[in-house]
Amino acid sequence: MPDLMIILVVVFALAFDYINGFHDTANAIATSVSTRALTPRAAVWMAASLNLAGAMYSTGVAKTIGGDIVKSAHMVNETTIIAAMVGAIVWNLITWWLGIPSSSSHALIGGVVGAVLVSKGASALKMAGILKIVASLICSPIIAMVTGILIMTGMFLIVGKMAPAKINYKFRRLQILSAAMMSFSHGSNDAQKAMGIITLALVSAGYLPTLEVPLWVKIGAAISMGLGTAAGGWRIIKTMGGKIFKLEPVSGFSADLNSSIVIFGATLLHLPVSTTHVVSGSIMGVGTAKRINAVHWGVAQQMLVAWVLTIPSTALISAITYKVITVLFH
């Protein structure tokens, strides 16, 4: 029978996935909602179902999260992992309430690093693995911005001579497809992060011999993210859908298509990326392709500040949480 602490780890990890679902709903559907290709309700339910399907796709990212942050699963315990999840959850809720698109992936990494540092010290961290994860988190939005410029430029060459009404009609329909692709790729990468944390805890406690994700963990994480997505994240949708760059159907389609390719490519490489960063980079890229001053760089700057603050903030919250738990219960 699993002990109480393992049960709490599972509960907190699934709660993180649920919050990740409504926190990052905007990533999958903001562009199609802002251009009226889909109604908000239809977009949310489509995203929820395809997030769930994507979450069942593979476990490569989960193994990276579970195996590349700490040197050994046996160097952490359930208290450390619970503190890490609390840090990530608290930061996600703060940024969601303020309507600031921040990275759930950064929050999770920061939470784990902070909790491990205060409980076991820097020697327990696998720096090469952390650097690989951080590099993928930093490079992915830059890649998304560059490829967004290229895809949007290509679209201008294809539709440049078409009548605007015809372009809007065709691309509103195509946006349903690109939003579906984005939702699936989002689930394929983001849901695996909680899977990796639960599996790490199960190995640490001796319930599993290796970092192989059990089926029930995959199903639990997939359902939690799907339900969270269904709850919606309207505050962040408003920022992502219109405050960075005024999207039209052709630019919305291009941004979604570009984001889904970058995110799913990372999933195939077993690399965790921030879907928030990738989508933001894509929107900035397609906006820049149209006109560099069409992008609201002030909003982008505000988001960048949140991104930079996320890892140290969640690390601090997790470290404090660990200390509080150990004082109260040990």
Side-chain angles (χ1 to χ4, degrees), residues 6 9-10 13-14 16-17 55 58-70 72-73 76 81 84-85 108-109 112 133 188-204 208 210-214 216-222 272:
I6 280 290
V9 167
V10 174
L14 295 182
F16 171 80
D17 240 0
S58 73
T59 58
V61 174
K63 291 176 183 177
T64 298
I65 293 292
D68 278 9
I69 301 175
V70 293
S72 168
V76 295
I81 296 171
M85 300 313 302
L108 181 60
I109 303 306
V112 174
I133 291 170
S188 76
N189 200 281
D190 266 24
Q192 290 194 52
K193 292 155 191 172
M195 295 181 202
I197 291 296
I198 295 172
T199 307
L200 174 65
L202 292 171
V203 174
S204 171
L208 287 176
T210 61
L211 283 166
E212 291 296 327
V213 182
W216 68 267
V217 173
K218 290 177 69 175
I219 292 171

Side-chain angles (χ1 to χ4, degrees), residues 5 48 51 64 77 104 118 135 144 148 150 153 155 162 176 197 208-209 217 230 232 243-244 266 284 286 314:
M5 294 300 282
N51 259 335
T64 298
N77 57 30
S104 297
V118 77
L150 295 175
T153 301
M155 287 295 171
M162 290 173 62
I176 298 171
I197 291 296
L208 287 176
V217 173
K243 289 187 178 179
I244 301 172
M284 290 175 201
V286 300
T314 51

Side-chain angles (χ1 to χ4, degrees), residues 74-162:
H74 302 293
M75 297 183 79
V76 295
N77 57 30
E78 293 93 328
T79 304
T80 305
I81 296 171
I82 289 170
M85 300 313 302
V86 169
I89 288 169
V90 168
W91 184 255
N92 272 357
L93 289 174
I94 290 170
T95 52
W96 165 77
W97 181 254
L98 295 174
I100 300 170
S102 68
S103 168
S104 297
S105 303
H106 281 204
L108 181 60
I109 303 306
V112 174
V113 169
V116 172
L117 274 175
V118 77
S119 61
K120 292 292 182 180
S123 61
L125 294 171
K126 187 187 285 187
M127 294 310 299
I130 293 171
L131 289 173
K132 180 182 79 172
I133 291 170
V134 171
S136 72
L137 291 170
I138 291 172
C139 291
S140 53
I142 297 170
I143 292 168
M145 188 169 180
V146 172
T147 54
I149 292 171
L150 295 175
I151 285 179
M152 193 68 236
T153 301
M155 287 295 171
F156 284 142
L157 293 174
I158 294 169
V159 304
K161 294 182 180 179
M162 290 173 62

Side-chain angles (χ1 to χ4, degrees), residues 87-329:
I89 288 169
V90 168
W91 184 255
N92 272 357
L93 289 174
I94 290 170
T95 52
W96 165 77
W97 181 254
L98 295 174
I100 300 170
S102 68
S103 168
S104 297
S105 303
H106 281 204
L108 181 60
I109 303 306
V112 174
V113 169
V116 172
L117 274 175
V118 77
S119 61
K120 292 292 182 180
S123 61
L125 294 171
K126 187 187 285 187
M127 294 310 299
I130 293 171
L131 289 173
K132 180 182 79 172
I133 291 170
V134 171
S136 72
L137 291 170
I138 291 172
C139 291
S140 53
I142 297 170
I143 292 168
M145 188 169 180
V146 172
T147 54
I149 292 171
L150 295 175
I151 285 179
M152 193 68 236
T153 301
M155 287 295 171
F156 284 142
L157 293 174
I158 294 169
V159 304
K161 294 182 180 179
M162 290 173 62
K166 189 175 182 181
I167 293 171
N168 289 341
Y169 176 77
K170 285 183 178 295
F171 279 93
R172 274 202 184 96
R173 295 202 164 194
L174 284 171
Q175 265 198 284
I176 298 171
L177 173 62
S178 64
M181 291 169 61
M182 179 59 217
S183 299
F184 182 88
S185 64
H186 173 241
S188 76
N189 200 281
D190 266 24
Q192 290 194 52
K193 292 155 191 172
M195 295 181 202
I197 291 296
I198 295 172
T199 307
L200 174 65
L202 292 171
V203 174
S204 171
Y207 291 104
L208 287 176
T210 61
L211 283 166
E212 291 296 327
V213 182
L215 180 60
W216 68 267
V217 173
K218 290 177 69 175
I219 292 171
I223 290 173
S224 295
M225 174 157 280
L227 290 173
T229 302
W234 308 113
R235 293 171 184 269
I236 295 172
I237 285 171
K238 189 176 178 182
T239 300
M240 296 288 280
K243 289 187 178 179
I244 301 172
F245 166 65
K246 184 172 175 54
L247 290 161
E248 299 165 343
V250 63
S251 53
F253 169 80
S254 300
D256 277 350
L257 176 65
N258 184 57
S259 298
S260 63
I261 292 169
V262 173
I263 294 167
F264 196 67
T267 300
L268 294 176
L269 294 171
H270 302 170
L271 293 173
V273 295
S274 166
T275 51
T276 306
H277 287 205
V278 170
V279 174
S280 301
S282 292
I283 294 172
M284 290 175 201
V286 300
T288 301
K290 181 177 182 180
R291 199 173 65 251
I292 194 163
N293 61 357
V295 178
H296 300 154
W297 295 106
V299 176
Q301 187 177 16
Q302 179 191 22
M303 292 166 60
L304 182 62
V305 171
W307 297 343
V308 171
L309 289 176
T310 296
I311 288 180
S313 298
T314 51
L316 179 62
I317 296 168
S318 296
I320 293 170
T321 302
Y322 180 84
K323 287 293 187 183
V324 170
I325 292 172
T326 53
V327 168
L328 291 177
F329 297 103

